[in-house]
Amino acid sequence: MKLARDTWLVFQRQLLLMWRTPVWIAVGVIQPVFYLLLFAPLLKKVLAPMGATTYAEAYQIYVPGLLAVLCIFGGLYTGFGLLGELRAGIIERARVTPVSRLALLLGRALRETVALLVQAVIITLIALAFGLRVGPVDLLLAYLLLGLLALMTSAISYGIALLLPADEAMAPVVNTIAQPIALLSGVLLPLALAPVWLQSMAKWNPFYWAVEGMRALFSGHVGDSAVWQGLLVVVVMTVAAVYWSARLFSTRVR
């Protein structure tokens, strides 16, 4: 009960700070919208071998990957906000209060999760105007996967921010992690078109399973094994990431 109350208090505070600078939500939406408008229309012919004979079918394959990119890069870069709090001593002062250390992490990570889901809804609405068709139940399950991805990547990013000895190291470390993860998830194009060795590597990437699950949902195959496999992998990884980062909030502040 105390954890829930503390998390809510931290979340409210973080949400208020985000509300005062809504430009960050708009900035997060702009780049995916560019891909949606300028890149996705080229995919109809590229994805024809996978049965995408219409633009609507092409969007069903591409949009889940685009939303996953939003969570991968958007979530992994949230640690930059924590760097400022570390420099100002905000986290150190919070640690001497009775607030749960797990709540310090969850309140912040949930704020980022809400922001990324808002961006995902905006992108989905734009895609619907371009011909995307997806059932409401399938879409809600896909957003559940996205929310878990956002929570996981935010927790990982906060952990990285606490571990690094200098702020300048954050950008290269995050880029080094995010790029291979995104490419091995098949976010731009399904990895069914890739060589066998690349598909084998991708199966070790938890984000690959999440993207495959979302693609199955966007195609209306809620009973597909890819859905529960994606949910299982992401839930396990999210719990592990939150536990790891919460321990760092308790024991390590640079």
Side-chain angles (χ1 to χ4, degrees):
M1 200 66 184
K2 180 181 184 301
L3 174 61
R5 186 184 69 247
D6 290 349
T7 301
W8 177 248
L9 288 173
V10 176
F11 173 72
Q12 279 185 310
R13 173 62 180 166
Q14 295 296 315
L15 204 61
L16 178 62
L17 294 173
M18 184 182 71
W19 183 258
R20 290 175 178 172
T21 53
V23 66
W24 293 114
I25 294 181
V27 169
V29 170
I30 289 173
Q31 188 172 4
V33 168
F34 284 157
Y35 275 95
L36 193 62
L37 299 180
L38 304 178
F39 179 72
L42 307 176
L43 294 175
K44 181 182 173 183
K45 290 185 178 180
V46 175
L47 297 175
M50 298 191 64
T53 58
T54 65
Y55 283 111
E57 291 170 338
Y59 276 98
Q60 285 175 339
I61 295 173
Y62 179 66
V63 171
L66 185 63
L67 297 180
V69 167
L70 186 71
C71 286
I72 292 171
F73 283 92
L76 287 176
Y77 275 90
T78 56
F80 283 96
L82 188 65
L83 294 177
E85 293 186 276
L86 289 169
R87 285 195 302 270
I90 294 173
I91 301 299
E92 190 170 359
R93 290 197 295 271
R95 289 179 71 216
V96 301
T97 69
V99 175
S100 164
R101 305 297 183 266
L102 180 56
L104 291 176
L105 164 68
L106 284 177
R108 288 170 169 80
L110 288 174
R111 189 277 303 267
E112 302 299 342
T113 301
V114 168
L116 289 169
L117 284 176
V118 169
Q119 294 169 10
V121 170
I122 294 172
I123 292 167
T124 305
L125 290 174
I126 295 172
L128 289 173
F130 280 83
L132 173 68
R133 295 294 176 264
V134 57
V137 174
D138 299 327
L139 188 60
L140 287 175
L141 284 173
Y143 283 160
L144 172 61
L145 264 171
L146 281 173
L148 290 169
L149 278 179
L151 182 59
M152 175 176 65
T153 52
S154 297
I156 291 171
S157 186
Y158 289 144
I160 292 171
L162 288 166
L163 283 174
L164 292 177
D167 295 357
E168 296 78 11
M170 186 73 180
V173 168
V174 170
N175 278 329
T176 302
I177 294 172
Q179 288 184 0
I181 282 176
L183 292 173
L184 283 174
S185 338
V187 291
L188 295 177
L189 293 172
L191 289 178
L193 304 172
V196 175
W197 64 267
L198 193 57
Q199 295 181 41
S200 300
M201 287 181 62
K203 290 179 181 178
W204 292 93
N205 179 9
F207 294 90
Y208 164 80
W209 298 101
V211 173
E212 289 297 300
M214 283 192 290
R215 284 204 170 112
L217 288 168
F218 269 70
S219 298
H221 304 145
V222 69
D224 195 307
S225 61
V227 176
W228 66 262
Q229 287 172 344
L231 277 170
L232 179 62
V233 170
V234 173
V235 166
V236 171
M237 292 299 297
T238 301
V239 171
V242 168
Y243 174 78
W244 171 69
S245 189
R247 283 184 60 85
L248 290 177
F249 264 86
S250 300
T251 61
R252 186 180 183 108
V253 175
R254 58 184 180 84

